[in-house]
Amino acid sequence: MGEIENGEADQITTDVHGQKCSLVCECSSPEAISGKDNLLNTVFRNPIYKFYRFPSSDNKWICVREQMAESSMSFHIPKQLLSLYIKEDTRRIEQLKELGDLSPHWDNLRQNVLAHYEEMVSVYQESLEELEKHTGSSFKSSCSKGEKSLEFVPINLHLQRMRVHSQKLKDALYDVITIGAPAAHSQGFKNGGLRRLLSRFEAEKKNTGYQCIYYSPENTAKAKEILSSINHLQPLISSHTDLLLNSAKQHSAESLKDSLKTLSETTERFVRSFKDQLISNALLALSTARPSCANKKLTDPLSDTEDNKTDEQDNLHQITRQDSIPHLSDYDEEEWDRVWANVGKSLNCIIAMTDRLLEQGNSTRENKTECSSEDITSQQNGDWYEQLYPLIITLKDCVEEVVDRAKKSMTFVVFQELACGLPQCLQLTFRRDVVFSQALSGLTCGFIIKLHSSLHNEAFLHQLHTVGLLVQYEGLLSTYSEEVGMLEDMSIGISDLRHVAFKITEATSEDFLPLVTGRRERFMVEVKLPTKMFELLPQEIKDGKLLCVHPVFFNVGINEQQTIAERFGDTSLQESINQENVEHLEEYYRMCIEKVPSACPQLLQEQSDVKELLENLHQNTQAKKRKNVEIMWLAATICRKMNGVRFTCCKSAKDRTSMSVTLEQCQILRDEHDLHKDFFVRALDCMRSGQAQGVLNESDDPEKGCVTDNKPTSRHFYPVALLLVSSHLLVVWLILSLALLLAKYQ
């Protein structure tokens, strides 16, 4: 295609119709990724640059700078998540121990659950220690994907950025995050991935007999949410009551009003969070698990012994459903309602007393000329504080009683899921944590780079805090062999990103690394910006509004294994994933149209285009077409038009990913920058060629030691399509392939 000239940088030229298509190639650069930009330099490291120049349709030049960089998020996010997992599971162990005395049956189950929990916490601690020991490059190569000590770290996480300067668009950025499929590679895929395993687990959990009580996944999630609310709201109520008493002691009317308002809002949230029948049912179920109820018959004591045995067996069977828990004659079902209502009554008493004190304060000020100000202040301070103090103590006692009952009942609900499914339940939790850690690392990387490049895009910023961030994953996994399990893991991991929210704060130091807080199913990532960048944000984001995430995932297998799957296997998993995510993407589009148009003229102008693309995408996901790569192109185009973040994934984020990214870059040059039609294939070859990518030294190669031969092993094999013609050819192929492999490794 051209020749390489010696010099500081490689230069490849091609003479076509008297013009030269030139490539200036630099293999690496000691410079930072973005000059003096501390934020990007903190998140992205070890950049490599390539420079290209291609002709456009109007005989002008298109200047392209291609850039790839590693991300420090590869290790930073997993370490924080592991700490949070340890903290959450340790708290769960404490809650299970605080359930109190249980009957022998339930206590045996609890001890079993505690043993498994403690073992899992130990595994998390070992993984965290291994990651803390890691030094050097913040990069996990593909050959390490099976390493147990690095299973929480994403594979080959990189930023791929293309900056284009042309006559049509003076300066345009196109970013893609490339990452190996978020999956539990070290655990294997013999029994499938998360999607299949979770479905099987829920089916088996319903048939556990009388060993435990079955609660639906929705109710179990609700119980965890209530426990989280307790841990968050109880300390807030305590601090607000202290502020109220402090305001009363200082005799500050305005401060008293503000403190009362805050206390009222927090307490009302607290009361609303417990307005659920699930708590009443769980309290009743917990009462049946107490030792005092273990020997009691759950039926009418006047019936004969034989009927009692039959009814007792029926009642034990009924315990497996939360809506048919047996009634106990000595259990007062209205007691919880009274305890719960006492919190509201106590708050009302405080409000009434505060209003009365404020009225008395006003009348006292009117008559203050009758005595000295010092005497009045001393008397008023004592009156306000002394009259509010008993009511505050009552409120705290009521809150404490509600918390004690609610915490134990909700812990009992969570306990049922664990008891019903040991050890599968915690094994699935662990696998899900591994996959989520890899997915969140990539998401954080994508969010930061998108935010940084769009700080001056008012339409995007308005869309971000009004609707949320669109994140589109392009998967290139086949539906054959172990990649089916990867696809099942990846689909759940990406779906779990819906429970993530971002919060942007102003950095108070030079540390710009993001901070992760929260618990499973409700994580928050705090992104810190320098003051100058933070000032560019809308007021809603500055005020700390949480920014939600809308992930969508489309997969199209493109390799030879997918050919086998389409001819002899099953592609229903890929079809169902694509169809589900089209619906999610259409829902996001509807939300944008409803909430954003007035402040986002760009989106309004492209509304008809996006709508047409969505319809086309919907039709393609329904069509029975082999290797329908049109799905990938449509999804990527919609994502860019709707200010989304693009991800491209395959098994290891190498061959298939690089082929997809380079093709997308050339399509962008053609569609957005008028790349000359005669140069499309040449530009693609230029980006994909070994010369264009630069020849890395062993010290520069992040995959050093992983590959001993630059030529992939698959090149020694004959085309699969030819082998499908005859079973005899297939046998010959197997024999020849085995012989070649033996010859290679001898």
Side-chain angles (χ1 to χ4, degrees):
M1 176 176 163
E3 57 182 356
I4 302 178
E5 299 177 357
N6 295 326
E8 294 182 359
D10 296 333
Q11 183 173 5
I12 301 173
T13 60
T14 303
D15 193 351
V16 180
H17 301 301
Q19 293 185 342
K20 288 188 176 183
C21 166
S22 67
L23 159 69
V24 179
C25 171
E26 292 184 3
C27 299
S28 61
S29 172
E31 299 177 3
I33 188 171
S34 186
K36 296 182 180 180
D37 193 321
N38 293 330
L39 174 63
L40 287 192
N41 294 335
T42 300
V43 178
F44 298 101
R45 299 173 179 173
N46 302 327
I48 297 175
Y49 299 94
K50 305 290 184 300
F51 298 90
Y52 309 91
R53 191 170 63 163
F54 303 117
S56 62
S57 300
D58 56 356
N59 295 322
K60 303 291 184 180
W61 287 109
I62 303 173
C63 298
V64 179
R65 187 179 79 162
E66 192 179 28
Q67 173 182 313
M68 184 177 73
E70 301 170 8
S71 175
S72 60
M73 298 299 99
S74 294
F75 284 82
H76 178 70
I77 297 297
K79 286 192 285 189
Q80 293 191 76
L81 282 177
L82 281 167
S83 297
L84 293 173
Y85 292 150
I86 293 170
K87 182 180 178 181
E88 180 180 349
D89 291 344
T90 302
R91 186 188 301 122
R92 186 78 70 232
I93 290 172
E94 294 172 355
Q95 291 170 347
L96 288 169
K97 291 179 179 178
E98 292 170 357
L99 273 178
D101 293 335
L102 298 175
S103 64
H105 167 72
W106 292 108
D107 193 54
N108 289 335
L109 288 175
R110 174 169 60 178
Q111 295 306 320
N112 194 18
V113 169
L114 288 173
H116 281 84
Y117 248 127
E118 289 168 353
E119 182 181 351
M120 191 164 77
V121 169
S122 177
V123 173
Y124 285 136
Q125 290 172 338
E126 291 175 3
S127 297
L128 180 58
E129 289 172 2
E130 289 295 326
L131 294 186
E132 293 288 359
K133 293 177 185 176
H134 179 83
T135 57
S137 176
S138 56
F139 171 77
K140 176 184 172 182
S141 61
S142 59
C143 62
S144 301
K145 62 175 172 284
E147 288 188 18
K148 186 71 176 174
S149 60
L150 299 177
E151 60 185 336
F152 289 89
V153 180
I155 303 167
N156 265 342
L157 176 60
H158 285 95
L159 163 68
Q160 178 76 17
R161 164 170 283 188
M162 182 175 71
R163 184 185 294 272
V164 184
H165 184 88
S166 63
Q167 286 293 113
K168 188 173 182 180
L169 293 172
K170 292 297 182 183
D171 195 13
L173 283 177
Y174 304 94
D175 294 327
V176 177
I177 304 298
T178 60
I179 182 175
H185 298 275
S186 62
Q187 299 178 34
F189 307 96
K190 182 179 180 180
N191 298 316
L194 279 171
R195 191 180 177 104
R196 191 190 322 174
L197 293 172
L198 289 170
S199 176
R200 187 186 305 158
F201 173 72
E202 283 302 322
E204 292 174 353
K205 195 169 67 171
K206 295 178 181 179
N207 302 316
T208 54
Y210 67 88
Q211 179 173 321
C212 59
I213 304 170
Y214 172 75
Y215 287 92
S216 67
E218 293 76 19
N219 279 334
T220 303
K222 188 184 295 182
K224 293 177 181 178
E225 182 66 31
I226 292 174
L227 287 171
S228 178
S229 297
I230 291 173
N231 295 329
H232 174 66
L233 294 175
Q234 186 185 15
L236 284 180
I237 292 176
S238 179
S239 63
H240 292 331
T241 53
D242 292 341
L243 289 173
L244 185 66
L245 286 176
N246 188 48
S247 300
K249 187 179 292 186
Q250 296 176 357
H251 203 269
S252 172
E254 289 300 321
S255 177
L256 193 68
K257 290 178 183 178
D258 294 340
S259 299
L260 179 63
K261 181 182 178 182
T262 307
L263 176 63
S264 300
E265 292 173 351
T266 305
T267 307
E268 287 170 3
R269 284 170 55 200
F270 178 83
V271 172
R272 283 196 303 271
S273 65
F274 298 120
K275 192 177 181 180
D276 199 297
Q277 187 64 30
L278 177 63
I279 299 178
S280 299
N281 290 341
L283 284 169
L284 176 56
L286 179 58
S287 69
T288 65
R290 296 299 184 191
S292 58
C293 298
N295 298 321
K296 289 186 179 181
K297 296 179 179 179
L298 306 178
T299 55
D300 187 357
L302 299 177
S303 58
D304 56 51
T305 306
E306 191 171 318
D307 290 339
N308 280 346
K309 291 181 179 178
T310 304
D311 293 341
E312 188 172 350
Q313 291 176 356
D314 292 341
N315 283 327
L316 286 173
H317 178 69
Q318 286 177 342
I319 292 180
T320 62
R321 289 290 180 269
Q322 69 231 35
D323 56 355
S324 58
I325 295 172
H327 174 75
L328 294 177
S329 58
D330 59 346
Y331 178 78
D332 186 358
E333 296 186 22
E334 296 180 358
E335 184 180 4
W336 164 250
D337 294 332
R338 289 194 296 270
V339 172
W340 170 68
N342 284 340
V343 176
K345 292 177 181 178
S346 299
L347 177 64
N348 290 335
C349 291
I350 293 173
I351 294 173
M353 177 59 71
T354 304
D355 290 342
R356 190 172 69 182
L357 291 174
L358 290 172
E359 290 177 3
Q360 291 176 354
N362 292 333
S363 61
T364 302
R365 279 192 294 272
E366 294 175 359
N367 301 324
K368 66 181 179 180
T369 55
E370 298 179 5
C371 57
S372 66
S373 60
E374 291 183 1
D375 294 337
I376 293 174
T377 303
S378 176
Q379 181 180 0
Q380 289 172 345
N381 285 349
D383 288 345
W384 283 30
Y385 182 84
E386 291 172 2
Q387 293 188 58
L388 279 175
Y389 182 77
L391 300 178
I392 293 295
I393 294 300
T394 302
L395 174 63
K396 286 185 174 181
D397 290 342
C398 292
V399 168
E400 185 66 32
E401 187 174 4
V402 168
V403 165
D404 181 66
R405 291 172 183 253
K407 184 180 289 187
K408 288 179 178 178
S409 64
M410 295 298 95
T411 300
F412 191 71
V413 172
V414 176
F415 170 48
Q416 301 310 306
E417 180 184 53
L418 300 168
C420 287
L422 283 178
Q424 293 86 352
C425 180
L426 292 182
Q427 289 173 352
L428 286 175
T429 300
F430 184 83
R431 188 183 189 100
R432 200 165 187 170
D433 289 344
V434 168
V435 176
F436 180 79
S437 174
Q438 299 176 26
L440 182 61
S441 301
L443 174 64
T444 305
C445 176
F447 179 87
I448 291 174
I449 195 67
K450 181 64 180 179
L451 178 66
H452 183 274
S453 62
S454 305
L455 283 171
H456 297 280
N457 187 341
E458 294 183 5
F460 166 76
L461 294 175
H462 183 85
Q463 180 182 342
L464 181 62
H465 74 77
T466 306
V467 184
L469 179 70
L470 175 64
V471 182
Q472 186 253 323
Y473 287 81
E474 173 184 304
L476 304 169
L477 295 170
S478 67
T479 54
Y480 180 80
S481 188
E482 66 175 13
E483 290 196 11
V484 176
M486 295 180 200
L487 186 56
E488 291 172 337
D489 273 356
M490 188 175 173
S491 65
I492 296 297
I494 292 174
S495 177
D496 285 345
L497 295 177
R498 299 178 187 279
H499 304 302
V500 176
F502 285 89
K503 181 180 180 180
I504 303 175
T505 59
E506 184 177 2
T508 56
S509 66
E510 292 300 313
D511 180 13
F512 298 107
L513 289 172
L515 178 65
V516 184
T517 56
R519 60 172 181 84
R520 292 181 181 91
E521 301 177 3
R522 190 170 290 276
F523 283 109
M524 185 189 74
V525 182
E526 179 184 340
V527 176
K528 305 170 188 176
L529 291 185
T531 301
K532 290 184 179 180
M533 294 183 183
F534 187 77
E535 291 173 351
L536 299 173
L537 299 174
Q539 191 60 44
E540 292 85 352
I541 298 180
K542 289 181 182 178
D543 292 340
K545 184 174 182 180
L546 296 182
L547 311 173
C548 57
V549 177
H550 299 270
V552 292
F553 173 40
F554 296 93
N555 187 84
V556 177
I558 59 172
N559 62 357
E560 63 275 8
Q561 289 186 331
Q562 184 63 23
T563 303
I564 298 175
E566 289 176 343
R567 286 182 177 272
F568 307 108
D570 181 17
T571 61
S572 59
L573 173 62
Q574 176 176 282
E575 293 168 2
S576 60
I577 288 174
N578 291 341
Q579 291 167 9
E580 290 168 8
N581 283 275
V582 163
E583 295 178 2
H584 295 323
L585 188 56
E586 290 173 341
E587 177 61 26
Y588 181 82
Y589 171 74
R590 284 192 291 269
M591 292 169 61
C592 285
I593 296 304
E594 292 172 2
K595 298 181 180 180
V596 177
S598 59
C600 186
Q602 176 188 355
L603 190 63
L604 189 62
Q605 292 170 2
E606 297 182 351
Q607 178 179 345
S608 58
D609 293 339
V610 173
K611 187 175 182 180
E612 184 178 346
L613 289 169
L614 275 171
E615 292 174 354
N616 198 354
L617 178 61
H618 187 89
Q619 292 172 1
N620 275 276
T621 56
Q622 298 292 332
K624 300 291 183 181
K625 182 180 177 182
R626 295 177 179 176
K627 295 187 179 181
N628 191 357
V629 293
E630 187 77 5
I631 292 174
M632 315 312 295
W633 180 83
L634 289 168
T637 304
I638 293 170
C639 177
R640 285 194 298 271
K641 286 183 176 292
M642 299 189 71
N643 299 315
V645 180
R646 287 267 299 111
F647 286 79
T648 299
C649 316
C650 67
K651 181 178 180 179
S652 301
K654 293 195 300 183
D655 299 337
R656 281 171 278 179
T657 297
S658 60
M659 297 291 278
S660 174
V661 169
T662 50
L663 176 61
E664 181 181 356
Q665 289 180 167
C666 287
Q667 288 175 331
I668 291 172
L669 292 176
R670 179 193 62 193
D671 299 337
E672 304 294 335
H673 299 275
D674 295 332
L675 174 67
H676 197 288
K677 62 180 182 179
D678 294 336
F679 281 84
F680 180 86
V681 175
R682 296 174 183 272
L684 187 61
D685 291 340
C686 184
M687 289 184 175
R688 289 178 176 176
S689 67
Q691 293 172 335
Q693 293 303 318
V695 181
L696 296 177
N697 298 322
E698 287 188 357
S699 59
D700 296 326
D701 189 0
E703 298 287 340
K704 179 183 176 182
C706 302
V707 181
T708 57
D709 190 346
N710 290 331
K711 295 183 179 180
T713 307
S714 59
R715 291 185 182 177
H716 295 297
F717 301 135
Y718 301 101
V720 175
L722 179 62
L723 304 176
L724 298 176
V725 177
S726 169
S727 59
H728 300 291
L729 285 176
L730 181 59
V731 173
V732 173
W733 173 71
L734 289 172
I735 295 172
L736 290 175
S737 300
L738 182 60
L740 286 169
L741 285 174
L742 290 173
K744 178 181 178 181
Y745 291 106
Q746 280 180 349

